[in-house]
Protein backbone atom coordinates (compact mmCIF):
# COMPACT_ATOMS: atom_id res chain seq x y z
CA UNK A 1 0.00 0.00 0.00
CA UNK A 2 2.85 2.38 0.87
CA UNK A 3 4.50 1.56 -2.48
CA UNK A 4 1.26 2.42 -4.31
CA UNK A 5 0.94 5.72 -2.42
CA UNK A 6 4.58 6.48 -3.25
CA UNK A 7 3.95 5.92 -6.96
CA UNK A 8 0.88 8.18 -6.86
CA UNK A 9 2.91 10.94 -5.22
CA UNK A 10 5.73 10.60 -7.76
CA UNK A 11 4.10 12.18 -10.83
CA UNK A 12 7.21 11.73 -12.95
CA UNK A 13 7.31 7.96 -12.40
CA UNK A 14 3.56 7.68 -12.84
CA UNK A 15 3.92 9.52 -16.15
CA UNK A 16 6.63 7.08 -17.24
CA UNK A 17 4.38 4.14 -16.32
CA UNK A 18 1.28 5.39 -18.14
CA UNK A 19 2.79 7.25 -21.10
CA UNK A 20 6.47 6.55 -21.74
CA UNK A 21 6.68 2.83 -20.97
CA UNK A 22 10.15 3.24 -19.41
CA UNK A 23 9.27 1.80 -16.01
CA UNK A 24 9.25 -1.91 -15.01
CA UNK A 25 5.58 -1.53 -14.15
CA UNK A 26 4.67 -0.09 -17.57
CA UNK A 27 4.35 -3.42 -19.35
CA UNK A 28 2.07 -5.11 -16.74
CA UNK A 29 -0.12 -2.00 -16.50
CA UNK A 30 -0.47 -1.69 -20.28
CA UNK A 31 -1.24 -5.41 -20.67
CA UNK A 32 -3.93 -5.18 -17.98
CA UNK A 33 -5.48 -2.18 -19.72
CA UNK A 34 -5.39 -3.99 -23.08
CA UNK A 35 -7.10 -7.03 -21.57
CA UNK A 36 -9.72 -4.78 -19.99
CA UNK A 37 -10.35 -3.06 -23.35
CA UNK A 38 -10.76 -6.37 -25.19
CA UNK A 39 -13.02 -7.64 -22.42
CA UNK A 40 -15.11 -4.48 -22.60
CA UNK A 41 -15.53 -4.80 -26.38
CA UNK A 42 -16.49 -8.48 -26.10
CA UNK A 43 -18.93 -7.60 -23.32
CA UNK A 44 -20.57 -4.88 -25.43
CA UNK A 45 -20.97 -7.34 -28.32
CA UNK A 46 -22.44 -10.02 -26.03
CA UNK A 47 -24.71 -7.43 -24.46
CA UNK A 48 -26.33 -6.73 -27.82
CA UNK A 49 -27.05 -10.46 -28.18
CA UNK A 50 -28.65 -11.17 -24.80
CA UNK A 51 -30.41 -7.76 -24.78
CA UNK A 52 -29.37 -6.25 -21.45
CA UNK A 53 -31.61 -3.23 -21.00
CA UNK A 54 -31.42 -2.50 -17.27
CA UNK A 55 -28.03 -1.76 -15.70
CA UNK A 56 -29.31 -0.69 -12.30
CA UNK A 57 -28.11 -2.24 -9.04
CA UNK A 58 -31.55 -3.80 -8.64
CA UNK A 59 -31.11 -5.62 -11.96
CA UNK A 60 -27.68 -6.81 -10.84
CA UNK A 61 -28.96 -8.63 -7.74
CA UNK A 62 -32.34 -9.78 -9.07
CA UNK A 63 -31.56 -11.63 -12.29
CA UNK A 64 -33.12 -15.01 -12.93
CA UNK A 65 -31.00 -18.04 -12.03
CA UNK A 66 -30.60 -19.40 -15.53
CA UNK A 67 -27.89 -19.21 -18.18
CA UNK A 68 -29.09 -15.91 -19.67
CA UNK A 69 -29.60 -14.40 -16.21
CA UNK A 70 -26.08 -15.34 -15.10
CA UNK A 71 -24.63 -13.84 -18.29
CA UNK A 72 -26.58 -10.63 -17.76
CA UNK A 73 -25.40 -10.44 -14.13
CA UNK A 74 -21.77 -10.85 -15.25
CA UNK A 75 -22.19 -8.17 -17.92
CA UNK A 76 -23.72 -5.66 -15.49
CA UNK A 77 -21.00 -6.34 -12.90
CA UNK A 78 -18.22 -5.95 -15.47
CA UNK A 79 -19.90 -2.77 -16.72
CA UNK A 80 -19.50 -1.16 -13.31
CA UNK A 81 -16.00 -2.58 -12.68
CA UNK A 82 -14.56 -1.62 -16.07
CA UNK A 83 -16.18 1.82 -16.03
CA UNK A 84 -14.55 2.47 -12.66
CA UNK A 85 -11.19 1.15 -13.89
CA UNK A 86 -11.14 3.34 -17.00
CA UNK A 87 -12.34 6.38 -15.07
CA UNK A 88 -9.48 5.94 -12.58
CA UNK A 89 -6.98 5.44 -15.43
CA UNK A 90 -8.18 8.60 -17.19
CA UNK A 91 -7.98 10.56 -13.96
CA UNK A 92 -4.41 9.34 -13.32
CA UNK A 93 -3.35 10.27 -16.85
CA UNK A 94 -4.69 13.78 -16.40
CA UNK A 95 -3.17 13.98 -12.91
CA UNK A 96 0.39 13.07 -13.99
CA UNK A 97 0.45 14.92 -17.33
CA UNK A 98 2.89 17.87 -17.26
CA UNK A 99 0.61 19.75 -19.64
CA UNK A 100 -2.87 18.48 -18.82
CA UNK A 101 -4.58 20.34 -21.64
CA UNK A 102 -2.24 18.72 -24.18
CA UNK A 103 -3.31 15.22 -23.12
CA UNK A 104 -7.01 16.05 -22.76
CA UNK A 105 -7.14 17.49 -26.29
CA UNK A 106 -4.90 14.82 -27.85
CA UNK A 107 -6.28 12.00 -30.02
CA UNK A 108 -6.02 9.35 -27.29
CA UNK A 109 -7.16 11.82 -24.66
CA UNK A 110 -10.41 12.45 -26.53
CA UNK A 111 -10.84 8.70 -27.16
CA UNK A 112 -10.27 7.97 -23.45
CA UNK A 113 -12.83 10.60 -22.46
CA UNK A 114 -15.46 9.52 -24.99
CA UNK A 115 -15.02 5.85 -24.06
CA UNK A 116 -15.03 6.40 -20.29
CA UNK A 117 -17.46 9.03 -19.07
CA UNK A 118 -20.37 8.11 -21.38
CA UNK A 119 -20.17 4.72 -19.67
CA UNK A 120 -20.93 6.39 -16.37
CA UNK A 121 -23.68 8.52 -17.90
CA UNK A 122 -25.18 5.39 -19.49
CA UNK A 123 -26.79 4.64 -16.15
CA UNK A 124 -29.16 7.48 -17.05
CA UNK A 125 -29.05 7.09 -20.87
CA UNK A 126 -28.24 3.41 -21.72
CA UNK A 127 -27.38 3.79 -25.46
CA UNK A 128 -24.22 5.72 -24.50
CA UNK A 129 -22.69 2.39 -23.41
CA UNK A 130 -21.90 1.50 -27.00
CA UNK A 131 -19.34 4.31 -27.20
CA UNK A 132 -17.05 1.84 -25.39
CA UNK A 133 -16.28 0.45 -28.85
CA UNK A 134 -14.13 3.57 -29.33
CA UNK A 135 -11.59 1.91 -27.05
CA UNK A 136 -10.51 -0.21 -30.01
CA UNK A 137 -8.36 2.77 -31.08
CA UNK A 138 -6.34 2.35 -27.91
CA UNK A 139 -5.28 -1.14 -28.97
CA UNK A 140 -2.79 0.64 -31.23
CA UNK A 141 -0.66 0.94 -28.10
CA UNK A 142 0.03 -2.78 -28.31
CA UNK A 143 2.92 -1.92 -30.64
CA UNK A 144 4.63 -0.14 -27.75
CA UNK A 145 3.73 -2.82 -25.21
CA UNK A 146 5.11 -5.70 -27.24
CA UNK A 147 8.12 -3.67 -28.44
CA UNK A 148 7.38 -4.41 -32.09
CA UNK A 149 9.83 -1.79 -33.33
CA UNK A 150 9.98 -3.31 -36.81
CA UNK A 151 6.26 -2.74 -37.26
CA UNK A 152 6.52 0.75 -35.80
CA UNK A 153 9.29 1.60 -38.27
CA UNK A 154 7.22 0.35 -41.20
CA UNK A 155 4.29 2.35 -39.86
CA UNK A 156 6.41 5.50 -39.91
CA UNK A 157 7.47 4.69 -43.46
CA UNK A 158 3.88 4.20 -44.61
CA UNK A 159 2.61 7.39 -42.95
CA UNK A 160 5.48 9.43 -44.35
CA UNK A 161 4.89 8.00 -47.84
CA UNK A 162 1.18 8.82 -47.67
CA UNK A 163 2.00 12.35 -46.48
CA UNK A 164 4.38 12.90 -49.38
CA UNK A 165 1.85 11.45 -51.84
CA UNK A 166 -1.16 13.34 -50.50
CA UNK A 167 -1.11 16.12 -53.10
CA UNK A 168 -0.89 13.66 -56.00
CA UNK A 169 -3.64 11.51 -54.52
CA UNK A 170 -5.93 14.54 -54.07
CA UNK A 171 -5.37 15.58 -57.70
CA UNK A 172 -6.09 12.02 -58.78
CA UNK A 173 -9.24 11.92 -56.63
CA UNK A 174 -10.47 15.15 -58.26
CA UNK A 175 -9.83 13.58 -61.67
CA UNK A 176 -11.89 10.51 -60.69
CA UNK A 177 -14.76 12.70 -59.45
CA UNK A 178 -14.83 14.55 -62.78
CA UNK A 179 -14.59 11.24 -64.65
CA UNK A 180 -17.57 9.61 -62.92
CA UNK A 181 -19.64 12.73 -63.52
CA UNK A 182 -18.84 12.55 -67.25
CA UNK A 183 -19.45 8.78 -67.44
CA UNK A 184 -22.72 9.05 -65.50
CA UNK A 185 -23.95 11.86 -67.74
CA UNK A 186 -23.07 9.94 -70.92
CA UNK A 187 -24.87 6.83 -69.66
CA UNK A 188 -27.92 8.94 -68.79
CA UNK A 189 -27.96 10.29 -72.36
CA UNK A 190 -27.72 6.74 -73.76
CA UNK A 191 -30.30 5.08 -71.48
CA UNK A 192 -32.76 7.83 -70.54
CA UNK A 193 -34.94 7.40 -73.64
CA UNK A 194 -35.56 3.68 -72.99
CA UNK A 195 -39.01 2.74 -71.54
CA UNK A 196 -38.74 1.58 -67.91
CA UNK A 197 -35.11 2.68 -67.65
CA UNK A 198 -33.40 2.66 -64.28
CA UNK A 199 -31.28 5.67 -65.25
CA UNK A 200 -33.93 8.15 -64.17
CA UNK A 201 -31.60 11.07 -63.41
CA UNK A 202 -28.00 12.22 -63.73
CA UNK A 203 -27.25 11.71 -59.99
CA UNK A 204 -28.55 8.13 -60.27
CA UNK A 205 -26.37 7.61 -63.33
CA UNK A 206 -23.34 9.03 -61.49
CA UNK A 207 -24.02 6.56 -58.66
CA UNK A 208 -24.01 3.75 -61.26
CA UNK A 209 -20.72 5.07 -62.65
CA UNK A 210 -19.10 5.04 -59.19
CA UNK A 211 -20.29 1.50 -58.45
CA UNK A 212 -19.16 0.24 -61.86
CA UNK A 213 -15.84 2.08 -62.02
CA UNK A 214 -14.82 0.81 -58.59
CA UNK A 215 -15.74 -2.75 -59.72
CA UNK A 216 -18.16 -3.11 -56.80
CA UNK A 217 -21.05 -3.97 -59.10
CA UNK A 218 -24.16 -4.03 -56.90
CA UNK A 219 -26.33 -4.75 -59.92
CA UNK A 220 -29.22 -2.59 -58.68
CA UNK A 221 -28.96 -0.39 -61.80
CA UNK A 222 -28.19 -2.03 -65.14
CA UNK A 223 -28.29 -0.80 -68.76
CA UNK A 224 -30.72 -2.44 -71.17
CA UNK A 225 -29.70 -1.04 -74.55
CA UNK A 226 -26.89 -2.55 -76.60
CA UNK A 227 -24.96 0.72 -76.65
CA UNK A 228 -25.41 1.10 -72.89
CA UNK A 229 -24.10 -2.41 -72.24
CA UNK A 230 -21.11 -1.80 -74.49
CA UNK A 231 -20.39 1.48 -72.71
CA UNK A 232 -20.78 -0.30 -69.35
CA UNK A 233 -18.15 -2.87 -70.37
CA UNK A 234 -15.68 -0.10 -71.21
CA UNK A 235 -16.25 1.50 -67.79
CA UNK A 236 -15.64 -1.86 -66.06
CA UNK A 237 -12.34 -2.39 -67.87
CA UNK A 238 -11.38 1.22 -67.15
CA UNK A 239 -12.03 0.60 -63.46
CA UNK A 240 -9.18 -1.93 -63.18
CA UNK A 241 -6.65 0.62 -64.41
CA UNK A 242 -8.09 3.45 -62.33
CA UNK A 243 -7.91 1.58 -59.00
CA UNK A 244 -4.22 0.70 -59.41
CA UNK A 245 -3.03 4.31 -59.71
CA UNK A 246 -3.10 5.37 -55.99
CA UNK A 247 -1.27 2.17 -55.03
CA UNK A 248 1.43 2.94 -57.58
CA UNK A 249 1.78 6.53 -56.33
CA UNK A 250 2.25 5.46 -52.69
CA UNK A 251 4.55 2.56 -53.64
CA UNK A 252 6.83 4.82 -55.67
CA UNK A 253 6.96 7.32 -52.82
CA UNK A 254 7.78 4.54 -50.34
CA UNK A 255 10.74 3.50 -52.50
CA UNK A 256 11.97 7.09 -52.73
CA UNK A 257 11.53 7.58 -48.97
CA UNK A 258 13.46 4.40 -48.20
CA UNK A 259 16.36 5.41 -50.42
CA UNK A 260 16.44 9.01 -49.25
CA UNK A 261 19.17 9.92 -46.81
CA UNK A 262 18.58 11.96 -43.68
CA UNK A 263 18.81 15.69 -44.30
CA UNK A 264 18.95 18.74 -42.04
CA UNK A 265 19.29 16.57 -38.94
CA UNK A 266 16.01 14.72 -39.51
CA UNK A 267 15.32 11.01 -39.92
CA UNK A 268 14.14 10.09 -43.45
CA UNK A 269 11.59 7.65 -42.03
CA UNK A 270 9.95 9.26 -38.99
CA UNK A 271 11.05 12.86 -39.78
CA UNK A 272 12.12 13.43 -36.16
CA UNK A 273 15.21 15.46 -35.23
CA UNK A 274 18.35 13.39 -34.73
CA UNK A 275 21.98 14.03 -33.87
CA UNK A 276 24.03 14.91 -36.93
CA UNK A 277 26.76 12.47 -35.90
CA UNK A 278 24.37 9.58 -35.16
CA UNK A 279 24.32 6.44 -37.29
CA UNK A 280 20.80 5.46 -36.22
CA UNK A 281 17.68 7.43 -35.41
CA UNK A 282 17.07 7.56 -31.64
CA UNK A 283 13.30 7.63 -32.20
CA UNK A 284 12.63 4.75 -34.61
CA UNK A 285 16.00 3.04 -35.04
CA UNK A 286 16.28 3.78 -38.77
CA UNK A 287 19.85 3.69 -40.16
CA UNK A 288 20.87 7.23 -41.17
Amino acid sequence: MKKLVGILRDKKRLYNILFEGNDPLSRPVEICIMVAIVLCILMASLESVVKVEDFSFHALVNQELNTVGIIKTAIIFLEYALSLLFAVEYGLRVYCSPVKRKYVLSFFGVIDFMATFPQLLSIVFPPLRYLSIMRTFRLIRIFRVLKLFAFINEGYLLLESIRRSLTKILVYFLFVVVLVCILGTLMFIVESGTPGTQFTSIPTSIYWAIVTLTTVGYGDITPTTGLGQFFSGIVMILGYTIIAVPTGIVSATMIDTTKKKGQNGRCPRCNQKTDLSANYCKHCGERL
Side-chain angles (χ1 to χ4, degrees):
M1 188 66 181
K2 292 182 179 179
K3 187 176 181 180
L4 178 60
V5 173
I7 293 174
L8 293 177
R9 289 179 177 177
D10 190 350
K11 289 187 178 182
K12 185 175 181 180
R13 186 184 179 189
L14 186 60
Y15 180 84
N16 287 332
I17 293 173
L18 295 177
F19 288 95
E20 298 295 334
N22 298 326
D23 192 272
L25 291 177
S26 298
R27 186 182 179 90
V29 169
E30 286 286 358
I31 291 177
C32 289
I33 295 299
M34 293 295 176
V35 172
I37 292 171
V38 172
L39 185 61
C40 185
I41 295 168
L42 293 176
M43 184 189 68
S45 301
L46 183 61
E47 172 193 329
S48 65
V49 175
V50 297
K51 307 299 182 185
V52 182
E53 298 177 354
D54 187 0
F55 278 79
S56 64
F57 182 77
H58 180 269
L60 176 64
V61 298
N62 290 283
Q63 290 291 337
E64 298 180 3
L65 295 178
N66 53 34
T67 303
V68 175
I70 293 174
I71 293 175
K72 288 184 177 181
T73 301
I75 290 176
I76 297 172
F77 175 79
L78 287 173
E79 180 76 20
Y80 283 105
L82 293 175
S83 297
L84 179 61
L85 173 64
F86 290 123
V88 170
E89 186 215 5
Y90 180 82
L92 289 176
R93 287 182 180 273
V94 174
Y95 166 73
C96 70
S97 297
V99 183
K100 295 177 173 54
R101 182 178 179 182
K102 182 178 179 181
Y103 165 69
V104 171
L105 299 180
S106 67
F107 173 77
F108 280 117
V110 173
I111 292 297
D112 289 345
F113 179 83
M114 293 296 294
T116 299
F117 287 95
Q119 291 293 102
L120 303 177
L121 295 176
S122 66
I123 298 174
V124 179
F125 188 60
L128 287 175
R129 293 191 308 273
Y130 295 104
L131 284 176
S132 63
I133 298 298
M134 295 184 69
R135 292 194 181 101
T136 52
F137 287 104
R138 298 175 61 189
L139 292 176
I140 297 173
R141 290 174 179 161
I142 198 170
F143 291 113
R144 186 181 68 195
V145 175
L146 301 181
K147 306 300 181 183
L148 300 179
F149 289 121
F151 291 97
I152 293 176
N153 289 345
E154 297 307 319
Y156 280 131
L157 175 61
L158 179 60
L159 290 176
E160 180 64 16
S161 300
I162 293 176
R163 186 186 69 81
R164 292 174 182 269
S165 306
L166 189 59
T167 303
K168 297 178 183 177
I169 292 176
L170 289 176
V171 172
Y172 171 78
F173 177 75
L174 179 61
F175 165 75
V176 172
V177 170
V178 173
L179 181 62
V180 295
C181 291
I182 294 173
L183 294 176
T185 303
L186 291 176
M187 182 58 81
F188 175 74
I189 294 173
V190 172
E191 290 284 324
S192 60
T194 306
T197 181
Q198 295 175 313
F199 294 85
T200 55
S201 64
I202 290 181
T204 302
S205 301
I206 292 175
Y207 162 75
W208 166 88
I210 295 173
V211 171
T212 306
L213 192 67
T214 56
T215 70
V216 175
Y218 288 130
D220 52 343
I221 302 176
T222 56
T224 56
T225 65
L227 181 58
Q229 292 171 351
F230 175 75
F231 184 70
S232 179
I234 294 177
V235 175
M236 293 176 193
I237 295 174
L238 183 62
Y240 284 103
T241 60
I242 291 294
I243 292 176
V245 174
T247 305
I249 293 174
V250 177
S251 299
T253 307
M254 287 181 68
I255 295 173
D256 293 340
T257 304
T258 303
K259 293 181 178 180
K260 186 179 179 180
K261 302 298 182 181
Q263 296 178 353
N264 301 323
R266 289 187 174 272
C267 173
R269 174 163 287 176
C270 66
N271 202 36
Q272 296 292 327
K273 290 185 177 180
T274 60
D275 298 329
L276 294 176
S277 59
N279 294 322
Y280 296 89
C281 175
K282 63 182 179 181
H283 300 282
C284 69
E286 172 71 3
R287 184 178 179 87
L288 302 175

